[in-house]
Amino acid sequence: MESSFKTQPLLLLLLLLFTFSSITESNQFCNAGIEYGESSCGVSSSSSKILIKGGTVVNAHREEVADVYVEDGIIVAVKPNIKVGDDVTMLDATGKFVMPGGIDPHTHLAFEFMGTETVDDFFSGQAAALAGGTTMHIDFVIPVSGSLTAGFEAYEKKAKKSCMDYGFHMAITKWDEVVSKEVEIMVKEKGINSFKFFLAYKGALMINDELLLEGFKKCKSLGALAMVHAENGDAVYEGQKRMIELGIFGPEGHALSRPSLLEAEATARAIRLAGFVNTPLYVVHVMSIDAMEEIATARRKGQRVIGEPVVSGLALDESGVWDPDFVTAAKFVMSPPIRASGHDKALQAALSTGILQLVGTDHCSFNSTQKALGIDDFRNIPNGVNGIEERMHLVWDIMVESGQISVTDYVRITSTECARIFNIYPRKGAILPGSDADIIIFNPNSSFEITAKSHHSRSDTNVYEGRRGKGKVEVTIAGGRIVWENDELKVVPGSGKYVEMPPFAYLFNGIDKADAEYLSSHRAPVKRFKSTD
């Protein structure tokens, strides 16, 4: 997402033309009755009572054959042979898995960046998510001129068209007394319990170590989770200049300018500073072996560090950015970059052994016209790839079909652990009585194919183009409504809810005792006597 923020009038004109041009027919979906008729755009006609019969119910802690009864958006019962009346919608899940809907911890919808805005907003991005079995996401609020309050209000407006539940993280781009007070308001009044600090994007979002320490201390005092985008922004800036001096202007320059050792350095620095403050740390989009090993070392020493790989890092390698076709190469540009072959397998292994804990997407989708803003200079290519619709399918195919993880682990890394980290479990991330009825019916014997022509994102490209695999989400239930069935979306703008996330999740358990032990270990101050002659 780095840029010199230059504007190119011709390309911007093309962008405007593209924005208002018609979307290919296969890529359309309900949009407030505009792109489809009202009959397809209304709320699902099913009753508020749903019985899912005969499936294997999978939670992170166990799986069992049972029925699931839903009423008014809440799971009422999970047990075998539930008897109901005639006014209940019946879904047969025999031979299939019934699982909590996915929770994507890392998305950027309606994100204004590098002189443009992501093509997916809070309706199209969420519609795509629901088609892929994700029923909640957590998006990043970007401050307006450093103001958290203005940023929150702007994102409230953006999210009015939501068709599924969502939460917010908050980015912090400067620090003063006003911001410090705003952080408290966000935690205590606005339902935000996580704050992101960018160690990259010099001149735009990047912060220094002094601000990082202040932010860490404030987060700790409020029970909020500190998050970092870990790349050394100063070194990346130097790497970019080096590429330009070498005459490398194409997308491959993006990957070459920010090698994995710069991700590792920033990851290690953030981990050590979080350890110095003694506050939990969440490292977003872990893309390399180098960064993963820093997390593994810290966790082995007992430090509370969460590592989040994203599906592009698990499924792809950097070969895409070397494609001779610019449109193809540019679509793979994201930060940190997709790494060389071998990093993907190492990240998969780390996820399967618990070194990394959950999977996000960093869904930040720009179309080919927007990506062409950097056709002469990779520094102007808007950074970001898709993934919100593809995550659940790809993680199943890569991790479960290969035998690397169990079905219960799949639920944990795609849903439950996210709910626990951000303190909304078991309302979310579980198939239990009293939980929200965010449910998917998953057929392990079916198959999927990913194409830009059939996906539900507004982008005209897809980084997973042509990918096939086993396992398919056949039904998605969000808030007790059937929104995806028979390859058809039934969603309506404004039906999603904002989910407030309270502070002091499980990662903060015992922090106060560790602090007390640390202070008692000082054996200081030492009482000294002044010498007298």
Side-chain angles (χ1 to χ4, degrees), residues 8 11 249 326 370-378 380-382:
Q8 302 182 35
L11 287 168
F249 300 99
F326 175 83
Q370 293 170 301
K371 291 279 189 175
L373 292 169
I375 196 164
D376 297 319
D377 186 339
F378 68 84
N380 296 324
I381 300 172

Side-chain angles (χ1 to χ4, degrees), residues 199 230-236 238-239 242-243 254-270 272 287-294 318 336-340 343:
L199 307 187
E231 289 181 288
N232 186 309
D234 288 320
V236 167
E238 185 62 31
R242 183 187 300 172
M243 292 305 111
H254 176 78
L256 291 170
S257 68
R258 46 207 316 148
S260 59
L261 79 160
L262 300 187
E263 185 186 353
E265 185 280 330
T267 302
R269 179 162 39 101
R272 284 161 175 76
M287 296 296 285
S288 66
I289 295 170
D290 314 55
M292 177 269 289
E293 287 180 341
E294 295 291 346
E318 71 171 7
I338 299 164
R339 304 297 183 186
H343 288 269

